[in-house]
Each structure stands twice: as C-alpha cells, then as structure tokens.
Amino acid sequence: MSEVSVARILITGTPNSGKTTIFNRLTGLHQHTANFPGVTTSVSRGRIRWQKSSGHCLEAECLDLPGIYSLYPDTPDEREAVQCLRHALSLPGPQCVVFVADPTTPHRTVHLLLHLQEYIHIDLVVFNFWDVAEKEGISFNEKAFVRLFGPHLRYCFHNPRNHVHLRTIRNALASILEAKSHEPFRHPLLQATLQESPDTRIARSTALYRRVRDAANEIFPQKTSPFSSPINPKDKVFLHPFWGTLIFFGFLFLIFQAIFSWTNWPMRGIEWLFSRLSAALHTVLPPGPLTHLLADGVVQGLSGILVFVPQIAFLLFFLALMEESGYMARAVALMDRLMRRFGLSGRSVVPLLGGAACAVPSILATRSIPNPRQRLITILVIPLMSCSARLPVYTLLLGLLLPDSKVVGLDVRGLALMIMYLLGFCLAVGAAWLFSRMIPQGGKDYLIMSLPHLQRPLPLVVLSKTWVGLKAFVLGAGRIILFLSVILWVMMHFGPGDLGIGPKPSADPAQRLKESWAGYAGRLLEPAIRPIGGDWRIGIALVSSFAAREVFAGTVATLFPPPPGQPLRSHLSSLQSADGRRIFSPATCLALLVFYAIALQCLSTVATVHQETRSWRWPLIQFVIFMMSAWLAAAGIYRMADFWGLSV
Amino acid sequence: MKQRANWREKLRNGWYRVASIQPSVEAARLTEMGLAPGSRVWIATQAMPFGLIYLHTSDGALIVREEELKDLTLEPEYTP
C-alpha cells in the first residue's frame, strides 16, 4: 500500500472517555493515560495489523485525538484535535472514524455524536466504561439508539478492566476498512466551525440539546431519585477547604516518607550488587586500563544512577495512584484559588504536579489551559518543580547532609525531601507571580472542569505506568551515564603529559588526576564553582549534569570511586580536600541542593519550551534567569552556612 | 422566583433548572457540557474550595468558578 493511500483510523470522543486506553490496546503502545480530562494533549499515532485467514495482511494507521466537547475549540489541544480531524479526512484512502463514548455522561456523549455527524461520517461507536455504567444503573435501549442515529451506525461495548471486547472492536474495524472503497464523507462547514462566535455556538448547542435531552434519557435509561443530593460523599471530604487540603498535604507527606523509609533495603541491595560486580570484574579480568574502565568507570557510573530506581519507582507509583483514582482533578479544584493569586490557573496544577515526574510531558499538558498567558507562565515555571531527575541528586546530598535518624517516628531525610519538593512548588508559584507582572494580560480564563469518577485504581494499570516511567528513566539516564562515564574515565586517566605536551604523568594517583584532562578542565571551572563551596571535581559533576540532572550522582560516583565494599555515601562523607575541609561539607551540600532546586539543567526541557512557545526568546529568558538565580542563591546559602561554621 | 447566579449572590445547595444563558465563551462551553437551557442541575456551594461551585448535571459532576455562572439564569427547583 502506498504512503498516500494508507488506511486510517481516527479515534475521537469527549475528554476522559477512555480513547487512549482503547488506542493503547489496539496498537500495543503505552501512551500516557489517567483518570481526568485533558491528559491527551497531542495526536498520538500507532499501527494496527490484521492477519487474514487468506494470508492477506491489512494494516492501518491509528490516530488518537485529544478529547473535544464540540468542533469549536477553546484550548490548544482541542484546536489540534479539530485540525487533525479535518486534515486526516481530506487525505485519500479508506478512513474509519471511531467515536469513544462514555455512557455515564449520556447527554454530553449524544450531543457530541450528533454534532459530529453533521460534518463527518462516524463509522463505529464504542461504549466504553460499560461496567461503571451498569453499576450506576444505566442500561442501553437499542431501538432508541437506532431511531436517533439510523440503522447503519455500528456500535460495540468495551470494559477497560478486561480485554473481552477488544477482539470485537478489532474485527469491526477490519470489516469497516475492507468495505470502504468510497471517499469519506466531507462537509465544507467543518472548516467554518473553527470561527463560530459564542452566540452561534450557544444557539447550535441549545438547539441540539433540545433533541439530545429526551433522546439521551431514552437511549441510556437510568433509575435515579429526582430530588436526592447526587454529590459523592467522598467528594464532600476531598473537596472540603480544610479536610481536603489536609488530605492533599497528608498524601504528599506519605509519598516522601515512603520514598526514604521503604526504599532503604532495595537501595542497599543494589549498592551491594554493584560493589560485588566491580570486585568480580577486578578478579576475573586481567589488570589493565580496560578492566579499570569497566570496573571503576562504567560500573560505578551505572551504580550511581540505578541505586535510585526504588525511590523513583515509589514516586511514579504514587503519582499513578493519584491519576488513576481520579484524585488529581480534586487537587486541581483545591488549588485553583491559590494558583490564581500567583497568575496561574487551577488547570496549571496538573502540569505542575506532573512536573514532579518529568517536566517534558508536563509542558505538553499545558495545552489544556485555555488562557495563552496562563499557559505561558505555567510552561515557564514547570522546570522549578522537583522532577524525578532531581530525586537522585537530592537523595545523595540529603544522605550526606543529614543523619539516618527518626524524629517522632518520622524519617528526617524524608521530611527534608518533602521540604525540597515544597521549596520547588513555592519557587514555581513565586516565579509565576513575577512572570505575571512581566507578561501583559491577554485571553479569557475560565475553569469549567468535569470531575472524573473516583475509582479504585487497577493494580495492573498502576504498575504498568510505573514500569513505563521507570524504563524511560533507566534507559534515558543509563545511556547518558554510560557515555559520560567512559569520557570521564578517559579524561581522568589521561592528560597532556601522555601526549608529551606537559609534565610527565605522575605515579601518585592524586597528582595524576590533577594533571589529567579532567583536572585541567575542572580548574578552568573552579572560579565559578568555588563561591558555591565546590572544588573542581564537583564542577565537572555540575557541568556533566547539563545533559540530564540525574547524571550528577553517576558522575560523582565515577569521580570519587568508593573502595570495594564501601557504600558511596559513607565514602563521600569521609572525603577531605587538601586544606582538611570535607569536600561534601554541610555548607556545600546545602548550596548544591539550592542550586539543583533552581537551575535549568535539562536540554529536553529547553527544547520542549521552544517547541511549545514557538520561539527561542522564552527558553533563553528562562535559562538565563534560572541559572543566574541558582548560582546567586547557592552562593548566598554557602556564605551563610560558612558563617555558621558548616563548611568544615 | 428566578435567581441570577453570580459571585455576589450566594446560592443554596439544591436542584435548579437553567432558564436562560447570556452568550459568552464560558457559557458556550457550559452548554456543550450539558448546562443548556432547560437542563436540571444540582448546585453545591457549601464546604467547597474557595470560589468554586460544584455542579451535578445528568452527565456527572463539574467544578466551575463562581463567576463562570454569571451568564446563567437559574430557577430554583428544590432546595432541601
């Protein structure tokens, strides 16, 4: 099949109707899903293949579109969905439009389906969450459905909690695509809908709702008491200004306690495993530079990163729990007023909280913010939220700074980690306030948010999301640290003397390191690093973490390799510089913590900000402001700590 | 008795019917989400996050800011 006539499946529907779950199951991909509206903010593409009994193979490109309420887009993600729908339908080749319907929102669903049918041909309706609908007493009246949409509109049911209906959907798609030889139904008004005024939109919606109101009740009859309070009792607690806020912060507190208290044993296990591996390599391989590179360069570097896997797994696990349970939308509501005071919107909360995992997808998630100014401010401050890449750095430095002790049964390091995350949040809202003074007002802001059902998260879904996030972390950071540890090892073990353009290589390891390429590069950086309490080696670790923050831990492990059998942290805390001061003194650790909390050391984030703002101006402003602030704040903290005698 | 809903006037918890809508972008989105004229809605203002109103339509729960309802005229139907 040629590129221009490829078969295409377009998945559309209202936000949070489960389109991406179906897309993932059909294509075998792992696009991010969550139980709140506005998760899919860009079009995802995948492939579906059918092997026919005749040996013939049918293949189609599958497009998962962001959710929409109508063809009148208000936010960048809705605009992308409508534009993609319009563009895809103008291409040649068989097309199949799948409408994913949530029967627990019958009026919205029927309204959008009728609205779309005015402009495009819908081929298949998938009634998703049918298990939830049945629990709510909703049933399906086939006659009423056929009366409203005609006998040719195919439909099937899907339950995200099992795969029973997936085969039905696959078979229906295959038969629709095979039967389709005609051009898709297209309407010239699809272009015009993008420019409708509010009056026209309301008039159209109101007229449509007159048809929808009775029809939806007839298609999805539900037994409910007409005058009972429908508010979910759990929402009375989760949304309560006092209890809700207490639960929110209590949940955050639990996460950070868990990250430190529950991960001690697996982390020690990983450290032990790598120290054994390093010792085994020294034993098995013949002595020489290659053995040294593998055992002390690569293995130490990887150990410096992989030791933090349990902590990142816990962070990702708790974030997945919040997303899947539907709690995240409640957090948005709780934080709206606070966010607005700082020039943000309640909708900024989801990207900001998502920033605790990774800034890149969180910046894309801002596409659901309708106000361009609030969206820009959210994009600019997201990198200040403490992402999972900062976690290894914080854990390492807090481990050096604080004793492994408990206060009132609470892990001291866990409390300090929570303070670091709260510091990130405070810095983000503070920066938002400053940016809101700099960026002129513009655009309409509103908060109208559909609250998803509160549900018990599926363990498999939560674990799968944790695994996908963890894999991305390990592969992403692992590749970089593998590359950097080799480069660093070469720089640390060779110098100008080996090329005959400097002093002869010394036999003393400390002197040899000083005269290596890394030593020369580090001393060049030293004037900038000294004010924040670091020596030239810390300077190298700081520079290497511009590729990715988490690389700091791996680089430190490569630059200061612990003797076999000694854990990295206890080795680092005992290191002393020539003047007798500890290299990782409390003052240096504090300064580095502050530096990493503010600095923008993530090239992927800079690139994503450029892509989303469509200019280099904002990423450059962001980079310069954050880096300068980070250095100044770290230098200030070091000075203060030095004054209190913490630099020894 | 018709009641114009805006941030100055406190609504009591209860069932309301949307009587009419003044055109605006927010109102257009509200109609697309189920608050078209004639639709019934449960409104909860008490014990909600500051400045927000909890709405329960036939399509489930919505959270909106008080000012988002300024363009809606609501008719009380049942307030317990």
Side-chain angles (χ1 to χ4, degrees):
Chain A
M1 202 173 278
S2 71
E3 186 60 35
V4 286
S5 63
V6 70
R8 208 166 277 108
I9 295 166
L10 302 158
I11 302 180
T12 185
T14 54
N16 207 34
S17 58
K19 297 175 292 298
T20 307
T21 303
I22 293 176
F23 170 84
N24 283 344
R25 288 196 176 165
L26 287 171
T27 57
L29 295 175
H30 295 283
Q31 293 298 327
H32 185 61
T33 59
N35 182 21
F36 56 86
V39 178
T40 307
T41 51
S42 57
V43 178
S44 307
R45 289 161 197 271
R47 293 255 161 195
I48 312 179
R49 285 183 187 86
W50 294 265
Q51 192 70 47
K52 295 279 152 192
S53 50
S54 59
H56 171 68
C57 186
L58 180 67
E59 187 175 316
E61 185 186 31
C62 188
L63 280 79
D64 176 31
L65 310 183
I68 50 172
Y69 290 106
S70 70
L71 288 169
Y72 313 122
D74 280 347
T75 54
D77 57 332
E78 291 174 358
R79 212 160 288 130
E80 183 164 344
V82 174
Q83 279 170 354
C84 178
L85 201 59
R86 206 176 67 226
H87 172 72
L89 291 175
S90 68
L91 297 172
Q95 314 265 3
C96 174
V97 181
V98 179
F99 183 87
V100 179
D102 178 2
T104 63
T105 60
H107 293 77
R108 215 174 288 160
T109 297
V110 175
H111 172 270
L112 181 62
L113 190 51
L114 277 174
H115 176 58
L116 287 178
Q117 275 203 324
E118 289 176 14
Y119 303 100
I120 54 178
H121 181 80
I122 306 288
D123 298 282
L124 178 68
V125 178
V126 179
F127 294 114
N128 205 9
F129 306 121
W130 194 248
D131 54 333
V132 182
E134 282 180 327
K135 267 188 205 158
E136 290 187 6
I138 296 170
S139 54
F140 179 65
N141 181 342
E142 189 184 359
K143 280 184 186 166
F145 181 81
V146 171
R147 201 162 43 241
L148 189 64
F149 296 107
H152 302 297
L153 180 57
R154 298 175 69 159
Y155 64 87
C156 58
F157 299 88
H158 182 253
N159 176 0
R161 293 186 175 240
N162 62 47
H163 293 263
V164 175
H165 304 103
L166 195 63
R167 188 179 289 272
T168 319
I169 300 172
R170 278 182 62 90
N171 291 345
L173 289 173
S175 68
I176 289 166
L177 286 175
E178 281 189 319
K180 274 203 159 184
S181 54
H182 61 273
E183 282 290 295
F185 176 80
R186 280 193 291 273
H187 198 293
L189 275 179
L190 187 55
Q191 174 70 37
T193 53
L194 292 167
Q195 289 104 34
E196 296 283 19
S197 67
D199 308 44
T200 322
R201 279 176 65 176
I202 291 175
R204 277 173 185 265
S205 292
T206 306
L208 211 52
Y209 259 106
R210 282 196 200 102
R211 285 176 68 195
V212 167
R213 200 172 303 127
D214 296 331
N217 290 338
E218 219 183 326
I219 295 169
F220 302 105
Q222 186 184 15
K223 287 174 189 169
T224 49
S225 164
F227 293 115
S228 62
S229 162
I231 187 166
N232 187 332
K234 286 176 196 156
D235 272 339
K236 283 185 182 171
V237 181
F238 286 143
L239 292 171
H240 193 276
F242 177 73
W243 296 116
T245 312
L246 199 69
I247 290 172
F248 178 65
F249 284 102
F251 195 65
L252 290 185
F253 179 77
L254 173 79
I255 294 174
F256 298 115
Q257 280 298 306
I259 284 176
F260 259 104
S261 301
W262 303 352
T263 53
N264 255 336
W265 286 108
M267 284 178 77
R268 282 182 194 170
I270 294 170
E271 271 185 330
W272 177 84
L273 209 70
F274 273 96
S275 74
R276 299 302 307 156
L277 180 64
S278 175
L281 284 173
H282 274 297
T283 316
V284 173
L285 297 175
L290 187 66
T291 306
H292 199 32
L293 166 66
L294 282 175
D296 301 329
V298 175
V299 171
Q300 291 300 343
L302 284 177
S303 156
I305 286 292
L306 295 178
V307 74
F308 299 103
V309 161
Q311 292 187 322
I312 290 178
F314 266 107
L315 180 70
L316 296 172
F317 176 78
F318 281 113
L319 283 175
L321 271 186
M322 282 172 84
E323 289 181 353
E324 286 303 307
S325 61
Y327 180 73
M328 201 66 111
R330 274 80 187 167
V332 170
L334 280 171
M335 293 287 131
D336 181 63
R337 171 62 70 93
L338 179 71
M339 292 286 109
R340 288 174 75 194
R341 287 195 181 162
F342 293 97
L344 295 165
S345 146
R347 284 176 185 267
S348 309
V349 174
V350 170
L352 285 177
L353 285 180
C358 181
V360 172
S362 303
I363 289 168
L364 297 178
T366 59
R367 290 180 183 185
S368 63
I369 300 173
N371 181 304
R373 177 174 172 266
Q374 287 180 336
R375 182 171 178 242
L376 176 62
I377 295 174
T378 312
I379 288 174
L380 293 176
V381 302
I382 281 175
L384 288 169
M385 293 296 290
S386 294
C387 63
S388 59
R390 281 184 173 108
L391 189 58
V393 184
Y394 288 168
T395 311
L396 181 71
L397 294 171
L398 289 174
L400 294 169
L401 185 66
L402 297 166
D404 185 7
S405 60
K406 290 190 189 296
V407 175
V408 210
L410 301 170
D411 192 302
V412 173
R413 290 167 178 173
L415 282 172
L417 186 65
M418 184 170 169
I419 291 169
M420 286 311 297
Y421 271 72
L422 285 177
L423 174 71
F425 180 75
C426 293
L427 287 169
V429 291
W433 184 82
L434 284 175
F435 281 126
S436 71
R437 296 287 173 281
M438 289 159 58
I439 302 167
Q441 294 279 351
K444 190 91 180 160
D445 169 41
Y446 64 80
L447 182 84
I448 302 170
M449 191 179 61
S450 172
L451 280 184
H453 295 278
L454 283 168
Q455 63 182 23
R456 198 185 310 151
L458 280 176
L460 203 66
V461 174
V462 173
L463 290 176
S464 152
K465 286 174 82 164
T466 309
W467 169 244
V468 169
L470 208 56
K471 205 167 84 177
F473 170 80
V474 170
L475 292 180
R479 265 185 226 138
I480 298 171
I481 195 65
L482 204 65
F483 172 73
L484 281 182
S485 56
V486 173
I487 299 283
L488 273 173
W489 186 88
V490 171
M491 283 181 72
M492 284 162 62
H493 288 83
F494 297 95
D498 294 293
L499 300 175
I501 51 171
K504 275 195 166 185
S506 167
D508 174 31
Q511 188 60 29
R512 190 180 169 86
L513 184 64
K514 213 170 178 182
E515 287 165 1
S516 67
W517 291 112
Y520 282 108
R523 281 200 296 282
L524 269 177
L525 292 168
E526 209 161 14
I529 306 301
R530 199 47 86 182
I532 62 172
D535 74 349
W536 63 272
R537 284 168 292 187
I538 293 177
I540 289 177
L542 276 178
V543 171
S544 72
S545 60
F546 273 83
R549 289 182 184 99
E550 60 272 39
V551 165
F552 176 81
T555 310
V556 164
T558 311
L559 286 164
F560 306 100
Q566 190 180 1
L568 177 66
R569 262 183 279 185
S570 71
H571 169 66
L572 292 179
S573 58
S574 64
L575 287 172
Q576 290 187 334
S577 57
D579 58 3
R581 292 182 174 207
R582 274 193 288 162
I583 292 178
F584 287 93
S585 68
T588 305
C589 291
L590 275 171
L592 287 173
L593 279 168
V594 170
F595 182 85
Y596 272 94
I598 305 172
L600 179 54
Q601 294 161 293
C602 180
L603 294 179
S604 316
T605 303
V606 174
T608 313
V609 173
H610 163 64
Q611 175 198 308
E612 291 302 297
T613 57
R614 292 177 187 182
S615 85
W616 279 110
R617 184 176 154 220
W618 290 113
L620 273 174
I621 289 175
Q622 196 182 27
F623 184 80
V624 171
I625 289 179
F626 287 4
M627 291 309 292
M628 278 175 62
S629 310
W631 191 86
L632 288 171
I637 289 285
Y638 183 77
R639 281 262 159 239
M640 276 164 60
D642 187 34
F643 179 76
W644 291 104
L646 297 172
S647 59
V648 285
Chain B
M1 183 190 85
K2 287 192 177 180
Q3 196 169 350
R4 178 92 179 194
N6 64 34
W7 64 275
R8 285 191 185 87
E9 290 167 349
K10 292 284 177 197
L11 290 164
R12 287 183 63 195
N13 284 11
W15 282 102
Y16 291 78
R17 194 169 284 278
V18 180
S20 62
I21 293 180
Q22 296 290 315
S24 67
V25 174
E26 312 87 282
R29 179 42 50 95
L30 279 172
T31 59
E32 286 156 11
M33 292 179 83
L35 265 86
S39 56
R40 285 179 84 228
V41 58
W42 168 272
I43 292 186
T45 57
Q46 289 147 18
M48 282 296 133
F50 305 106
L52 297 184
I53 291 180
Y54 180 98
L55 304 174
H56 198 102
T57 68
S58 48
D59 284 345
L62 294 176
I63 280 277
V64 300
R65 285 190 196 137
E66 284 173 342
E67 55 264 38
E68 259 62 280
L69 292 185
K70 68 182 188 302
D71 298 317
L72 268 67
T73 308
L74 299 166
E75 216 169 68
E77 203 174 68
Y78 173 76
T79 47

